[in-house]
Every structure is written in structure tokens, then in C-alpha cells.
Amino acid sequence: DVDVCIPIGGFNLSGGVKVLVLIANGMAARGWRVSFVAPDFAAESPFPLAPDVSVTALGSGPRWLPLSTRKILYYLHLGLVAARGARVCLANYYPTAFCAVLSRWVCNRASRVVWYVQADEAVSHGLLAEAGRASRLLRYGLARLSHRLPLSTVCVSRWVRSRIGRPADPVRYAPAVDPAVFHPGPRQPDRGRLVVGTIGRRGKTKGYEVFLEAVRRLPRPHDLKILVASPTPDEVPLPGGVDAEGVHTRSDQAMAEFYRRCDVF
């Protein structure tokens, strides 16, 4: 049994997952028993977990099955066990919200389901998903429907609250920045050039292609130095026709130094 169970679609290198890890670590620091439930194909956290935060890897079928099929099997499994033995089930993504509600009715009606909404997922994970038109529309409809589920909802911002149409829901801002790491510091000019930094990630919602187009349209790109931060060297291409440098890291300390090198982010 745990105080808080956090069912997720999988551990990945994203801001949303990092926020959940920070929340879990903060709960553990207060003495709460916290456990993540993740699919067995994505059960390793890319961010440090507190020693008292556990991870349950939930089965998703044989490894030879297509990943799309394993995801469906995982969510079906999750709908049966997400709230089992938990005082609070913290949903955070519209499929986990459906699973948490179903699991509460199936196996633990004493559990309380709370949904921490970090985005307008009907758009970010629906209309803008990298999928066919029918799939995007289905995801959009399910995400919109999820906001009518009978559960407590907490939003990451007032903007998100307005987008999902729940004006009475409370807002709790994400614990995203550690000022002991992210703080101003000394820097040296880069040979008189303007240093512009950006995050380079794949996916339409990340907007990196828009940044590349903006650089192509600049009249004097030789006066610039471009820094592109990404987790791996092959994540995205660097801008062409300008001095560009890839910064590949997953650590907060290295990202803080990246920000300090920028004149403009």
C-alpha cells in the first residue's frame, strides 16, 4: 500500500515527467509513500528519483508485439490496478485519468483520484499529434471528454484552466526551477556576437522548425552564434548558414550554464 500512486504513460525525457518526479520527490521528503506505475517498456526514469519513491513496471504483453499494441494492453492493465492500495491516485495525462477512474470503481473505491493537468492535451496530444487525421480527432475527442470525468482537477496554470473549461479548479504552479542551480552568473562575450539559444526537440508542438525558418530569414546571420540544447546529438539538425553549436546534456547544472551563455533565449 502507498499514500500516492502516480500512473504514467511512460518515463520519457519531457518537462511533464520531470514535474511529476519533482512532485513525487517532494512528497517523499514529507514522509509520504509514493509509487509510480509505468509500462515495462518505459519504466526507467531519466530524472533522479528520491530513494523512497518506488516504480512498479506494469506488464504490456510480449515484446514481439508492436509498440502501439503494447500501449493499448498497458492502459487496459492500468485500468484494473492504478488505484489499488493507494490513498490518492494522481492522474496526469488524459489516458491515465480514464484508467484511474476505472480502477477506483473496480478495485478501490476508498481511493481519491486527483488529476494534475499540465497542458491542453486535446490540442498538444490530439490535433497536433504526429498521427493520421482519424487518430488525431479521436485523441482530441477523448481528451475533451476526460475533462468531464468525476474527479478532482488541479491545473498547472490559469491559462490551462481556461483552455479546458474548468474555471473553478484550483491552480498549483509546477515546482520546475531550483534557484540553487538556475541563477545568474558571470559570462564572457562571444567575440562581440549576439548569442541566441534555443531548445531543439522533435515534434510540431515544440516549434523548432519555426525557429529554423526564423534564422533563415535573418538578414545578417553572420553576426550571430546559435546554441541549440538537446538531449542527444541526433535529436535535431543545427541551423544552416550561421555559426551554430549543439549543447547535448540532460543535467540541470549543464542547462543552467547553457542559459548563462545566452544573450537571448
Side-chain angles (χ1 to χ4, degrees):
D1 291 354
V2 295
D3 294 311
V4 182
C5 174
I6 307 177
I8 60 175
F11 280 113
N12 55 63
L13 194 66
S14 69
V17 169
K18 182 175 183 179
V19 165
L20 294 175
V21 168
L22 292 173
I23 290 174
N25 290 346
M27 290 177 175
R30 291 174 176 263
W32 297 6
R33 296 164 299 168
V34 184
S35 178
F36 281 95
V37 178
D40 53 5
F41 54 80
E44 184 174 346
S45 174
F47 308 106
L49 292 172
D52 295 333
V53 176
S54 62
V55 177
T56 298
L58 205 60
S60 62
R63 293 186 177 183
W64 52 263
L65 287 174
L67 183 58
S68 58
T69 302
R70 294 184 68 186
K71 287 181 179 180
I72 293 173
L73 292 175
Y74 166 70
Y75 283 120
L76 291 175
H77 196 177
L78 188 65
L80 300 177
V81 303
R84 180 182 297 170
R87 293 174 56 198
V88 176
C89 187
L90 182 63
N92 49 83
Y93 176 39
Y94 74 89
T96 67
F98 285 109
C99 292
V101 171
L102 175 60
S103 177
R104 178 182 180 276
W105 281 97
V106 169
C107 66
N108 185 8
R109 298 201 178 189
S111 179
R112 181 181 181 185
V113 178
V114 179
W115 186 10
Y116 187 47
V117 184
Q118 299 193 56
D120 180 7
E121 293 172 348
V123 175
S124 61
H125 292 72
L127 297 182
L128 296 180
E130 295 182 357
R133 176 178 173 81
S135 177
R136 293 198 306 271
L137 291 177
L138 176 61
R139 297 180 193 194
Y140 173 85
L142 289 173
R144 282 284 178 254
L145 180 62
S146 66
H147 299 300
R148 302 297 176 258
L149 291 172
L151 47 76
S152 301
T153 303
V154 179
C155 298
V156 74
S157 70
R158 291 189 296 271
W159 182 85
V160 167
R161 182 175 64 181
S162 68
R163 290 287 301 180
I164 68 173
R166 298 179 63 115
D169 288 340
V171 172
R172 297 292 181 268
Y173 299 107
V177 175
D178 181 357
V181 176
F182 294 95
H183 56 79
R187 62 177 300 276
Q188 296 296 324
D190 192 296
R191 292 180 291 177
R193 295 178 299 179
L194 185 72
V195 179
V196 178
T198 191
I199 305 297
R201 297 301 305 271
R202 292 189 297 268
K204 186 182 297 184
T205 60
K206 301 301 182 181
Y208 184 66
E209 290 295 329
V210 178
F211 176 80
L212 292 179
E213 178 62 23
V215 173
R216 283 193 289 267
R217 297 188 182 196
L218 290 174
R220 299 177 63 191
H222 60 277
D223 291 336
L224 293 180
K225 172 70 175 287
I226 305 291
L227 302 180
V228 180
S230 59
T232 59
D234 57 351
E235 178 81 11
V236 294
L238 293 177
V242 63
D243 186 9
E245 174 187 343
V247 178
H248 310 300
T249 180
R250 298 187 180 190
S251 77
D252 284 356
Q253 290 75 15
M255 283 303 300
E257 181 58 32
F258 159 77
Y259 289 124
R260 282 190 282 267
R261 289 180 63 188
C262 300
D263 294 305
V264 177
F265 173 70

